[in-house]
Amino acid sequence: MIKRKIEEIVFKILMYSAFITVLISFFIILFTILIKGIPSLNLKMITQTPKGGYYLGKEGGILNAITGSLILACSSTFLSMMISFPIAVFLNVYNKKKSRYVQVIRFSFDVLTGVPSIVYGALGLIVMYFFNLRASLLGGTIAVTLLILPLMCRGIDEVLQMTPKSLLESSYALGSTSLETSFKILLRQCYPGIITTILISFGRGIGDAASVLFTAGFSDNMPGNFLRPAATLPLAIFFQLTSPIKEVQSRAYAAAIILTMIILFISIMSRVISLRFEKYKIK
Amino acid sequence: MKNTRNLKDIIFKNLIKLLTNISILVLIGIFLSLIIKSAPILKEKSIIEILFSTKWQPFKKEFGLWTFIISTFYVTIFSLIISVPLCILSSVYLSEYCNKRIKIFFLSIIDILAGIPSVIYGIWGVIIIVPLIKNQIAPFFNASSNGYSLLAGAIVLSVMIFPIIIQITVQVMENVPRELREASIAIGATKWETIKFVVLKKAQPGIIASIIIATSRALGETIAVLMVVGNVIKIPKSVFDPAYPLPALIANNYGEMMSIPLYESAIMLSALILLIIVLAFNVLARIILIRIERKS
Amino acid sequence: MEQKSHIEAKKLNVYYGNNHVLKNINLQIPDKKITAIIGPSGCGKTTLLKSFNRMIDIFDEVKVTGEVLFDNENIYKKNIELTHVRKKMGLLLQRPFPLPMSIFDNVAYGPKIHGLKSKKKIRELVEFYLKETSLWNEVKDKLQAPATSLSIGQQQRLCLARGLAVEPEVILGDEPTSALDPIATRKIEEKFHQLKKDYTIVIVTHILRQAKRLADYVIFMYLGELIEAGPADKIFNEPEKELTKEYIKGLIS
Ligand SMILES: Nc1ncnc2c1ncn2[C@@H]1O[C@H](COP(=O)(O)OP(=O)(O)OP(=O)(O)O)[C@@H](O)[C@H]1O
Ligand SMILES: [Mg+2]
């Protein structure tokens, strides 16, 4: 009996310390970025593009990288949304759950979500060679789309799978076709989940550096043309950090705050939106 | 009216069927082209030689990848050693012992951290972990290190995979039916015994799944690791030595590789190898998982 | 059984994988009557009901042989207009499943997809069917509220209104009152009584007393087989088969 008690106490202590360690490491991350970054955070960063000698510590900002990242993430999220929603509908509405075909496709996408983003960068590069593209906003979009497509397919698929079968039955019983059921019932029922998936993918897309490293290039100008190189936030952070000049380094920290803010904003948005739409949802 | 509705349905069905198949084919096609891209170097040298040689001198046409492959495994394994026990213990604490408020608070922090980009983790590593290893940890073990080391990479990685493991594990443990716990407690088991023999057992497939997902993330993580791991082409002898994993190799060499034809092929081959490692690992792990699920 | 009948099953067999769930069912459902399908749990009542409008199609690994005739047309033959067949049969599930939209749109959904465009007509229809199911007075001030804000009993009546709004000829109910309290149950039962003037009604029920209260015609199933079918009086008072007798007495459940 005593042995049992002691074992429980020992494990409780272990659990507690593990929990505290994890918690503390998170706070350290947040505080490090904040403390290092806040001093060099200013309005110029988000309103100006780099002026001459910016990377030597002179005037300017990183508006180009912020815009570049937003455009890149938006367009690739949109692209992969257009592909993945129909795929998820096809799997869930037009096929039986246990059919071989569905299982194979699901398995493939599962495996594809595990593929590292640097590999997607290389794959994007290959697609670019194929179309004779140079490093450009379009190239980056292709790589990021490849990166988030499996994620989104499986995400939306997962959401659609959660819909109660009886809901589909109710709709069919009224004489709806599968198409009507997909767009008028399923889409409505799954709104919150789908939006959350989209936002998560967006966050993944905007924050990923490895996939755009070769494909999007870098530029000090505002992005305007999809065929030209464009700066992205993660790379701007990365390049500034590797600079030997202290000033520039601390700008990297400030840029990191901006990126973190964008991510935070997205994750709060996704919560608010999913709460909003929750009311029509059938439990 | 009826007919046009059904027609639309059929057209849509065939369209999305086409789309699904094309997407899968295109993805497979791209992967195949990765093989084609890495063919030139395989014509010149045997795959065994490339895999197991430690000589990397692109300008002398030496493209041995062993150092990088080993580094990749080291960094991943050490990060798992750090994070798996921590995560499982914290998950048990979160789902079984701690009060609801703390849990919700903690899980929302985890949610946020799961979304934070790797560059940010990299920065944190450079600011905190690297100096810590240089000034505190390495001297404590009587080693000398400039901080940019295998250990730094492993620590940063382990923190990056905390959210993945914890999120899934907590969710899986919560899904263990209450009746099961009650049955065990009714027999006279203590809470800890119930967790050990019933809850963890039932949650095992899910926990393994979370570790798999975390591992494949760790194997391929590029930027954060690249920033702290030192990138010296030499097989690390201790955790305080620098390492040079595959993803870092790919990322660092992109600029130069254009000039030498075989160089590019070598980099593509590294991407292919990384891909194969991750895929093999994934497929294997998922098969194991399906086995476990069938048994229970 | 002189009347010509809307629904008729001939040598109907249903399999879920290797599980033979309905075994050689032959039956006719009388028109403009309430038919109750009774039998112990798992005997295939739901499956039988859902085979009438091919709802079982959406389950995994289903195989169907034999015929179900609806207006003398086999609905399992190829090239059938499934949406059309389903439109003619309203389905009421065990638990109410309102569609994820407002109360108004729930009722309007069916007529809209079947091509009704006029806003005014739709509004009239919605009001008509909500009155038909005695829901109008309870919801007329919150037609735009989500359907989930209603009570379970109200939701079930909403589902009934939704089903009626596509002007079916048959109403299929799978234990439509099992999630409801006694009062809500009574309301639904009363509705069925009124509706049988215009509709053919088939319900599955677990509750013998409900079958006695409602049914004109009873089908007794056991382990996937149709044991006995006939007018309610006869089944309840002088059943032919031993199994039926025991079930009525409450010996098997
Ligand atoms: N989707 C399905 N897949 C496989 N088997 C099923 C499925 N639905 C039902 N079954 C099986 O078919 C048999 C008949 O099921 P059915 O639901 O028709 O019974 P029931 O009479 O309605 O039972 P209850 O009174 O409990 O609702 C059962 O043995 C059940 O296990
Ligand atoms: Mg049933």
Side-chain angles (χ1 to χ4, degrees):
Chain A
M1 193 62 214
I2 290 179
K3 212 181 131 223
R4 286 165 72 186
K5 274 266 159 61
I6 290 178
E7 189 185 315
E8 171 148 22
I9 291 171
V10 169
F11 269 95
K12 255 182 162 166
I13 293 171
L14 279 179
M15 276 182 244
Y16 200 69
S17 9
F19 175 71
I20 296 292
T21 314
V22 173
L23 194 64
I24 288 179
S25 53
F26 287 157
F27 279 112
I28 294 180
I29 294 178
L30 289 183
F31 280 117
T32 323
I33 306 289
L34 285 179
I35 291 170
K36 286 278 188 173
I38 284 181
S40 29
L41 199 60
N42 56 41
L43 209 59
K44 267 189 225 147
M45 285 194 69
I46 52 172
T47 52
Q48 291 184 8
T49 54
K51 301 284 170 333
Y54 176 73
Y55 295 102
L56 299 171
K58 301 248 175 66
E59 290 285 284
I62 49 164
L63 183 62
N64 59 329
I66 299 176
T67 327
S69 267
L70 286 176
I71 295 179
L72 188 110
C74 283
S75 46
S76 40
T77 309
F78 179 75
L79 263 180
S80 55
M81 173 67 205
M82 296 317 283
I83 302 173
S84 53
F85 181 69
I87 290 182
V89 165
F90 184 60
L91 294 185
N92 284 284
V93 179
Y94 288 89
N95 278 286
K96 301 276 172 77
K97 216 182 194 143
K98 283 183 188 148
S99 80
R100 251 275 132 66
Y101 179 78
V102 172
Q103 282 175 342
V104 169
I105 301 252
R106 231 169 237 159
F107 187 81
S108 330
F109 278 122
D110 262 346
V111 172
L112 289 177
T113 37
V115 173
S117 59
I118 186 89
V119 174
Y120 280 114
L123 295 179
L125 202 61
I126 289 177
V127 177
M128 284 161 56
Y129 285 148
F130 187 77
F131 290 108
N132 232 334
L133 287 171
R134 314 182 125 265
S136 59
L137 194 52
L138 183 61
T141 305
I142 292 173
V144 175
T145 306
L146 288 175
L147 171 74
I148 60 180
L149 183 66
L151 203 74
M152 218 147 156
C153 273
R154 280 297 280 129
I156 298 179
D157 176 42
E158 215 52 70
V159 173
L160 294 195
Q161 273 186 64
M162 301 287 263
T163 35
K165 198 146 211 172
S166 310
L167 185 69
L168 298 187
E169 273 180 46
S170 303
S171 169
Y172 289 136
L174 298 172
S176 331
T177 59
S178 302
L179 174 64
E180 287 154 353
T181 308
S182 314
F183 281 91
K184 297 195 173 132
I185 307 297
L186 216 50
L187 192 57
R188 259 184 126 126
Q189 164 80 2
C190 301
Y191 235 114
I194 292 176
I195 290 185
T196 312
T197 312
I198 292 177
L199 287 174
I200 289 174
S201 313
F202 183 86
R204 184 81 199 277
I206 204 169
D208 195 77
S211 58
V212 290
L213 192 57
F214 330 139
T215 51
F218 205 83
S219 149
D220 279 353
N221 300 323
M222 284 295 278
N225 189 334
F226 263 89
L227 296 174
R228 288 271 173 74
T232 46
L233 252 184
L235 288 188
I237 297 173
F238 181 62
F239 291 147
Q240 291 177 46
L241 194 73
T242 39
S243 147
I245 299 162
K246 270 262 148 10
E247 275 252 284
V248 181
Q249 274 182 25
S250 57
R251 281 178 181 166
Y253 307 143
I257 294 187
I258 293 175
L259 182 54
T260 312
M261 288 302 172
I262 295 178
I263 300 281
L264 268 183
F265 177 72
I266 292 168
S267 97
I268 292 170
M269 274 283 283
S270 77
R271 261 146 218 258
V272 171
I273 289 175
S274 63
L275 283 182
R276 253 261 165 92
F277 283 98
E278 203 72 17
K279 67 176 182 183
Y280 284 118
K281 199 171 167 182
I282 313 301
K283 303 270 156 41
Chain B
M1 187 62 206
K2 267 185 342 239
N3 281 327
T4 55
R5 282 175 56 215
N6 283 325
L7 198 65
K8 269 189 210 160
D9 191 45
I10 291 166
I11 293 174
F12 180 68
K13 177 184 173 163
N14 286 309
L15 270 181
I16 58 181
K17 185 173 180 181
L18 198 71
L19 180 69
T20 310
N21 292 334
I22 288 181
S23 321
I24 290 284
L25 286 181
V26 166
L27 285 172
I28 293 173
I30 299 175
F31 283 109
L32 288 183
S33 53
L34 195 55
I35 298 177
I36 296 171
K37 282 277 171 191
S38 38
I41 189 164
L42 290 176
K43 275 192 200 124
E44 299 243 334
K45 295 201 155 88
S46 82
I47 180 80
I48 304 286
E49 194 190 329
I50 299 172
L51 282 181
F52 294 107
S53 151
T54 54
K55 280 201 199 103
W56 175 268
Q57 282 154 330
F59 296 98
K60 291 186 190 159
K61 294 197 172 177
E62 296 278 5
F63 297 103
L65 293 175
W66 187 240
T67 322
F68 308 103
I69 296 175
I70 275 294
S71 289
T72 307
F73 279 116
Y74 279 165
V75 174
T76 305
I77 290 169
F78 279 110
S79 72
L80 286 175
I81 292 177
I82 300 170
S83 68
V84 168
L86 279 178
C87 287
I88 293 181
L89 285 168
S90 332
S91 307
V92 174
Y93 176 75
L94 276 175
S95 70
E96 307 291 324
Y97 288 98
C98 95
N99 79 34
K100 196 149 185 191
R101 278 245 200 80
I102 297 183
K103 181 167 134 190
I104 291 173
F105 170 72
F106 187 78
L107 287 181
S108 27
I109 294 191
I110 294 257
D111 257 9
I112 292 168
L113 281 151
I116 286 189
S118 39
V119 203
I120 309 252
Y121 284 99
I123 291 190
W124 171 73
V126 172
I127 301 176
I128 302 284
I129 300 300
V130 169
L132 191 71
I133 291 176
K134 180 181 173 191
N135 302 326
Q136 255 83 46
I137 302 179
F140 182 81
F141 287 97
N142 275 329
S144 77
S145 166
N146 68 352
Y148 291 91
S149 58
L150 179 58
L151 183 62
I155 293 178
V156 169
L157 258 187
S158 69
V159 175
M160 291 183 72
I161 59 182
F162 279 165
I164 302 177
I165 303 184
I166 293 180
Q167 268 175 341
I168 303 178
T169 306
V170 168
Q171 201 186 4
V172 171
M173 290 185 59
E174 277 178 355
N175 285 342
V176 175
R178 215 188 36 217
E179 291 81 357
L180 222 53
R181 293 162 211 253
E182 281 169 5
S184 159
I185 288 185
I187 295 169
T190 62
K191 184 161 187 178
W192 168 246
E193 284 162 339
T194 306
I195 293 168
K196 189 165 78 173
F197 296 120
V198 178
V199 180
L200 284 180
K201 187 122 208 213
K202 186 91 184 153
Q204 193 189 13
I207 297 176
I208 294 177
S210 73
I211 297 174
I212 291 164
I213 297 172
T215 312
S216 60
R217 178 83 193 271
L219 282 170
E221 178 48 48
T222 311
I223 296 290
V225 177
L226 169 103
M227 286 162 82
V228 298
V229 86
N231 304 326
V232 174
I233 310 174
K234 200 172 152 223
I235 294 181
K237 296 224 163 48
S238 87
V239 289
F240 300 112
D241 286 345
Y244 204 161
L246 271 178
L249 171 76
I250 302 169
N252 278 335
N253 286 282
Y254 169 66
E256 289 125 77
M257 73 189 197
M258 289 310 201
S259 42
I260 311 168
L262 273 189
Y263 202 165
E264 186 194 354
S265 176
I267 295 297
M268 286 298 179
L269 181 65
S270 334
L272 182 63
I273 290 171
L274 180 62
L275 178 70
I276 291 174
I277 294 174
V278 174
L279 284 188
F281 175 76
N282 248 288
V283 171
L284 194 76
R286 273 175 211 282
I287 290 172
I288 294 174
L289 211 68
I290 293 171
R291 282 264 169 81
I292 297 176
E293 262 167 22
R294 277 217 191 110
K295 260 191 203 157
S296 54
Chain C
M1 290 291 294
E2 273 80 358
Q3 285 165 300
K4 109 167 199 333
S5 133
H6 256 332
I7 304 178
E8 188 176 351
K10 279 187 182 163
K11 294 191 185 149
L12 180 66
N13 284 283
V14 176
Y15 307 78
Y16 289 123
N18 294 324
N19 190 359
H20 195 171
V21 181
L22 289 186
K23 297 167 189 160
N24 200 23
I25 306 283
N26 291 291
L27 56 73
Q28 292 193 321
I29 306 279
D31 264 5
K32 308 263 160 87
K33 292 259 161 57
I34 298 182
T35 302
I37 304 176
I38 59 172
S41 188
C43 67
K45 303 183 294 292
T46 302
T47 308
L48 179 61
L49 192 78
K50 287 187 178 168
S51 64
F52 291 159
N53 66 349
R54 282 188 62 173
M55 201 54 91
I56 48 172
D57 279 24
I58 68 173
F59 295 126
D60 289 313
E61 300 176 3
V62 203
K63 208 182 93 202
V64 181
T65 64
E67 302 183 330
V68 171
L69 300 179
F70 183 67
D71 286 340
N72 293 322
E73 194 179 15
N74 178 16
I75 62 166
Y76 283 92
K77 81 172 186 211
K78 274 192 185 151
N79 303 330
I80 194 90
E81 288 264 14
L82 246 194
T83 52
H84 191 55
V85 170
R86 285 179 178 155
K87 172 179 179 300
K88 286 201 202 157
M89 304 203 217
L91 178 69
L92 213 51
L93 298 170
Q94 229 168 32
R95 230 154 51 79
F97 266 92
L99 301 175
M101 40 184 92
S102 69
I103 295 173
F104 183 92
D105 287 336
N106 256 278
V107 184
Y109 175 77
K112 268 191 201 158
I113 59 167
H114 290 292
L116 188 62
K117 293 244 162 55
S118 145
K119 283 245 163 70
K120 188 164 156 280
K121 278 253 178 60
I122 290 176
R123 223 174 303 125
E124 283 167 10
L125 262 182
V126 171
E127 183 175 341
F128 178 79
Y129 285 106
L130 286 175
K131 279 181 176 156
E132 182 86 353
T133 49
S134 333
L135 206 55
W136 180 250
N137 285 329
E138 293 158 57
V139 302
K140 63 169 187 265
D141 301 321
K142 50 170 188 174
L143 287 173
Q144 293 312 322
T148 36
S149 65
L150 296 174
S151 78
I152 299 290
Q154 289 171 324
Q155 285 184 20
Q156 192 64 309
R157 274 181 286 148
L158 180 68
C159 291
L160 185 58
R162 179 184 72 194
L164 295 181
V166 294
E167 294 166 353
E169 294 161 20
V170 179
I171 300 170
L172 307 174
D174 186 7
E175 305 184 36
T177 60
S178 64
L180 308 185
D181 63 63
I183 297 175
T185 301
R186 232 202 17 250
K187 280 189 182 160
I188 293 273
E189 287 182 6
E190 277 166 13
K191 271 286 93 72
F192 280 154
H193 261 299
Q194 292 161 17
L195 289 173
K196 78 175 177 187
K197 286 202 308 292
D198 307 307
Y199 301 90
T200 302
I201 299 175
V202 187
I203 58 164
V204 168
T205 177
H206 250 126
I207 314 162
L208 273 179
R209 258 177 300 138
Q210 186 175 48
K212 280 182 189 160
R213 280 198 301 267
L214 281 178
D216 304 302
Y217 193 81
V218 175
I219 295 170
F220 172 61
M221 309 259 312
Y222 189 74
L223 295 180
E225 291 184 62
L226 190 153
I227 306 295
E228 199 169 347
D233 280 349
K234 178 157 173 299
I235 298 281
F236 285 123
N237 298 323
E238 43 196 275
E240 282 170 15
K241 302 269 167 55
E242 204 55 34
L243 267 172
T244 322
K245 231 177 261 174
E246 285 179 23
Y247 184 76
I248 304 287
K249 274 193 249 153
L251 292 180
I252 15 177
S253 60

